[in-house]
Amino acid sequence: MKLFIRIGLTAVIAFSTVTAWAEEVHVAVAANFIKPMEKIAADFEKATGNKVLTAAGASGKLVEQMKHGAPFEVFLSADQKNPMKLETEKLDVPGSRYTYAIGKLVLWSAQPDYVDDKGEVLKTGDFQHIAIADPKTAPYGKAALSVMEKMALLDTLKPKIVQGDSIAQTQAFVGSGNAELGFVALSQVIKDTTGSSWMVPQDWYEPLSQDVILLKTGENNAAAKALLDYLKTAPAQAVIKDYGYDLPTWATSDAK
């Protein structure tokens, strides 16, 4: 009986210790990265006991929320420029920013065989609507405009463009059939087995180097710092690659 009590007491003490150390971290995530982030967050929670609370949206809009006091502690952007804005505003922990993934743009339709493997469907104009994310706030939307400009089709396609507030809404437009096709992130549709897509050559648009940054609001939160470190681990990088992203140079160098 004494042994049973001693073991039970040890278990209670161990559980209390984990609970006491566990913290929450509030994370703002670019909409293109929400699916891999959900997997990474679940793995991080299992590994550390910390809880990840996420909010997704267009990078530019998330930055505006932070400037106005939104209590995010970590920001995973779809580009480098928006985290740099936070540095300029001195809302960051200096030296915390780094590139965690490099995104890819695809032209996608929910309809099988609708988009060919060279994007020639854009030249036909045989569709009513093409969806893109708002280029003013969403880096993938800006990349979509660059592609249409490179193909000398922007003026022709402008009347057909419908804009989503974020890349998530853009995908919803296409998925619902409100737009026959649209430019989205590869990560959003890489698991799709029914639609059709064209992988846009990456040199047709400005590199979608996606940076993460620790905000001053998370400076004293051990869970926030731990999450930034966890994104550099092999399990997290495996998830990032699984969703179609390229890894940054520092990650591939470390792998060697």
Side-chain angles (χ1 to χ4, degrees):
M1 179 65 72
K2 289 182 180 179
L3 179 60
F4 174 80
I5 293 173
R6 198 170 292 163
I7 292 173
L9 182 60
T10 301
V12 170
I13 292 172
F15 180 79
S16 298
T17 302
V18 171
T19 304
W21 281 95
E23 296 186 54
E24 291 183 346
V25 53
H26 295 261
V27 183
V29 186
N32 75 89
F33 198 71
I34 191 61
K35 287 184 179 179
M37 189 59 201
E38 287 172 350
K39 170 60 176 168
I40 290 171
D43 293 343
F44 174 74
E45 289 175 3
K46 288 179 183 177
T48 67
N50 296 309
K51 181 71 175 177
V52 179
L53 303 175
T54 58
S59 295
K61 289 194 173 183
L62 290 170
V63 166
E64 288 304 311
Q65 291 176 28
M66 291 173 220
K67 287 182 180 179
H68 289 88
F72 298 122
E73 297 165 302
V74 173
F75 175 39
L76 288 94
S77 182
D79 63 359
Q80 295 179 315
K81 292 179 180 178
N82 278 295
M84 287 179 180
K85 290 178 183 177
L86 297 173
E87 290 177 327
T88 301
E89 297 284 337
K90 300 189 183 304
L91 295 175
D92 68 309
V93 174
S96 64
R97 179 173 61 86
Y98 68 86
T99 302
Y100 66 93
I102 299 170
K104 299 173 187 176
L105 185 72
V106 297
L107 181 67
W108 176 70
S109 174
Q111 303 176 43
D113 303 318
Y114 192 88
V115 176
D116 59 283
D117 60 5
K118 293 184 180 179
E120 294 293 321
V121 63
L122 291 175
K123 297 178 181 179
T124 69
D126 190 22
F127 47 86
Q128 291 187 334
H129 298 107
I130 179 169
I132 69 170
D134 185 350
K136 294 180 181 178
T137 57
Y140 282 79
K142 183 179 178 181
L145 288 184
S146 296
V147 172
M148 288 185 279
E149 286 178 349
K150 184 170 182 64
M151 298 179 73
L153 294 172
L154 183 56
D155 289 340
T156 302
L157 296 178
K158 264 185 180 178
K160 299 175 182 287
I161 292 175
V162 291
Q163 289 186 10
D165 287 340
S166 70
I167 200 73
Q169 189 176 52
T170 304
Q171 182 190 14
F173 284 159
V174 181
S176 65
N178 288 320
E180 293 94 326
L181 70 172
F183 285 98
V184 299
L186 173 62
S187 59
Q188 296 175 287
V189 298
I190 194 169
K191 307 293 185 180
D192 179 82
T193 59
T194 58
S196 53
S197 63
W198 166 52
M199 178 85 72
V200 181
Q202 286 179 271
D203 59 356
W204 284 23
Y205 52 89
E206 186 177 335
L208 290 163
S209 297
Q210 304 194 185
D211 280 11
V212 60
I213 196 167
L214 178 64
L215 303 172
K216 278 197 178 297
T217 46
E219 187 171 15
N220 297 317
N221 185 347
K225 295 177 180 178
L227 180 59
L228 261 74
D229 290 337
Y230 186 79
L231 286 167
K232 293 182 177 181
T233 65
Q237 290 175 23
V239 174
I240 292 170
K241 288 180 66 177
D242 187 48
Y243 275 87
Y245 294 92
D246 286 338
L247 294 177
T249 303
W250 66 259
T252 53
S253 297
D254 288 350
K256 296 176 182 177

